[in-house]
Amino acid sequence: MTDDTGLSRRKFLQATGGAAAAVSFAGCLGGDGGSGDGNESGTDGGTDGGGNQEPQKGGTLNLISTGTIDTFDPVAAADTASGEVIQQVFDPLINYPNGQVETKPLLAEKVETNEDNTTYTFTLREGAKFHDGSDVTAKDVVYSFERLAGSPHTVRADFILGSMGVTHETDSEDNYKPGSLGVSAKDDKTVEMKLERPFHAALELLAYSSFSVVPEGIVGSLKEEGTVDKPSKQYNEFANNNPVGAGPFKFKHWNKQEDAAVTRFEDYYGEGPYVDGVHWQVIEKDSAAFNYAIEKKADIFSIPTAKYDPGRFPSKTRTINSERPERTDRFRTARRSTT
């Protein structure tokens, strides 16, 4: 591997790192007054007597999505709006917990490598289930990674074939040969992944939502998915109406260009959400989004630059050393921080 190639990969990871750490609300502050219907705030936590807000379970976390959601298929999503919902519904093997820079296993309970770091062995967690009640198995991981590499709908094939360099075969036109991916199920809970060469950021890249695990056969074989222009009925059902993952929230509804919502998955294998659900109101115009927030319909929101007046918040402003900026987390989470 040349220096130029290595530099390119570092730049690639820097460019995608923010997306790999997509916002998850599994441990966001909940409130006791939310109805769970997407219309009441669920973040009015109590205090500990010293003015600090304490996390309370229940309610709905109401947010604003400033982009149009396109799909809930992890391998087909390339936009932030879709990614925010996908990160709640699906889990990958690896994760960035609580906004930390070090990755940790998520659906995987243990990760082992060989001496030259070209073979990764993942042991899956016991008790992990999909939202349809089926157990998460090694075959599900193989199927999910195969879709990332070869689905007609994938937009991130280079993540697994190029950047990470999982072993595979190509045809005379350098297209991926389905079924040749170096990912295999050794038993129900053990997955082996082989790389063409060591890759320093393999675990970091595996935390990206494109590597989310879906049930084996959820959209059939690669040939049965249809095409981008003419997707199969089964694919459309999964990508638009019933995405099934193993994340802390289950899909609830999606009204295109209007709103989307997820609800707590009670059988989640890890530490479950504080809140009962998350609701996104799709508002693409800054002024409209700001007015929606000012009307107290959103629990967390960004202030458009044109609307920000630091003079309105004199008691809240602080001077931060520009040479060493202070970083604060936008969300208190129990599991992971961002898509």
Side-chain angles (χ1 to χ4, degrees), residues 13 17 20-21 94-96 101-103 164 199-208 211:
L13 287 172
I94 306 297
N95 178 51
Y96 288 98
V101 295
E102 296 294 331
T103 59
M164 189 180 296
F199 181 51
H200 69 286
L203 295 182
E204 286 79 2
L205 192 53
L206 283 169
Y208 201 90
F211 288 87

Side-chain angles (χ1 to χ4, degrees), residues 145-177:
F145 284 19
E146 179 73 14
R147 289 198 66 244
L148 178 58
S151 167
H153 304 281
T154 184
V155 296
R156 302 299 193 192
D158 190 60
F159 281 11
I160 191 168
L161 301 178
S163 298
M164 189 180 296
V166 175
T167 60
H168 64 280
E169 297 177 10
T170 57
D171 60 21
S172 59
E173 297 180 351
D174 204 30
N175 296 316
Y176 168 69
K177 280 187 177 181

Side-chain angles (χ1 to χ4, degrees), residues 220-276:
S221 67
L222 299 184
K223 291 182 178 179
E224 293 172 332
E225 293 189 32
T227 65
V228 173
D229 295 331
K230 192 176 181 180
S232 69
K233 182 178 180 180
Q234 189 174 5
Y235 177 81
N236 272 333
E237 178 66 14
F238 168 74
N240 300 319
N241 303 317
N242 187 31
V244 177
F249 293 95
K250 297 188 300 182
F251 177 79
K252 186 177 181 180
H253 73 255
W254 176 33
N255 298 312
K256 292 185 178 181
Q257 298 182 324
E258 293 183 18
D259 73 329
V262 295
T263 185
R264 179 204 303 268
F265 179 40
E266 298 296 345
D267 290 331
Y268 184 61
Y269 62 93
E271 184 175 0
Y274 283 130
V275 296
D276 293 329

Side-chain angles (χ1 to χ4, degrees), residues 17-247:
V23 178
S24 173
F25 312 108
C28 276
L29 295 175
D32 55 7
S35 66
D37 60 2
N39 295 318
E40 295 185 62
S41 171
T43 58
D44 297 327
T47 63
D48 59 6
N52 295 320
Q53 194 175 45
E54 294 180 335
Q56 296 183 13
K57 291 188 176 182
T60 296
L61 182 67
N62 293 295
L63 305 172
I64 299 172
S65 177
T66 56
T68 300
I69 297 169
D70 291 328
T71 180
F72 298 123
D73 179 5
V75 308
D79 62 286
T80 300
S82 299
E84 283 191 1
V85 183
I86 287 171
Q87 192 77 0
Q88 317 311 317
V89 176
F90 299 91
D91 271 1
L93 297 176
I94 306 297
N95 178 51
Y96 288 98
N98 301 325
Q100 299 170 15
V101 295
E102 296 294 331
T103 59
K104 288 187 178 181
L106 186 59
L107 264 178
E109 183 175 43
K110 183 172 63 174
V111 182
E112 299 174 289
T113 61
N114 64 350
E115 290 186 0
D116 65 357
N117 292 316
T118 57
T119 299
Y120 285 74
T121 303
F122 304 93
T123 302
L124 302 182
R125 292 188 186 277
E126 294 291 340
K129 292 182 178 295
F130 290 112
H131 301 152
D132 62 4
S134 61
D135 293 331
V136 177
T137 70
K139 289 184 178 179
D140 298 313
V141 179
V142 174
Y143 176 79
S144 301
F145 284 19
E146 179 73 14
R147 289 198 66 244
L148 178 58
S151 167
H153 304 281
T154 184
V155 296
R156 302 299 193 192
D158 190 60
F159 281 11
I160 191 168
L161 301 178
S163 298
M164 189 180 296
V166 175
T167 60
H168 64 280
E169 297 177 10
T170 57
D171 60 21
S172 59
E173 297 180 351
D174 204 30
N175 296 316
Y176 168 69
K177 280 187 177 181
S180 67
L181 194 67
V183 180
S184 59
K186 295 305 177 182
D187 56 41
D188 282 350
K189 292 295 181 181
T190 307
V191 180
E192 184 178 85
M193 180 178 74
K194 292 183 176 294
L195 307 186
E196 296 173 346
R197 65 212 168 256
F199 181 51
H200 69 286
L203 295 182
E204 286 79 2
L205 192 53
L206 283 169
Y208 201 90
S209 61
S210 296
F211 288 87
S212 296
V213 180
V214 304
E216 181 185 15
I218 188 71
V219 292
S221 67
L222 299 184
K223 291 182 178 179
E224 293 172 332
E225 293 189 32
T227 65
V228 173
D229 295 331
K230 192 176 181 180
S232 69
K233 182 178 180 180
Q234 189 174 5
Y235 177 81
N236 272 333
E237 178 66 14
F238 168 74
N240 300 319
N241 303 317
N242 187 31
V244 177

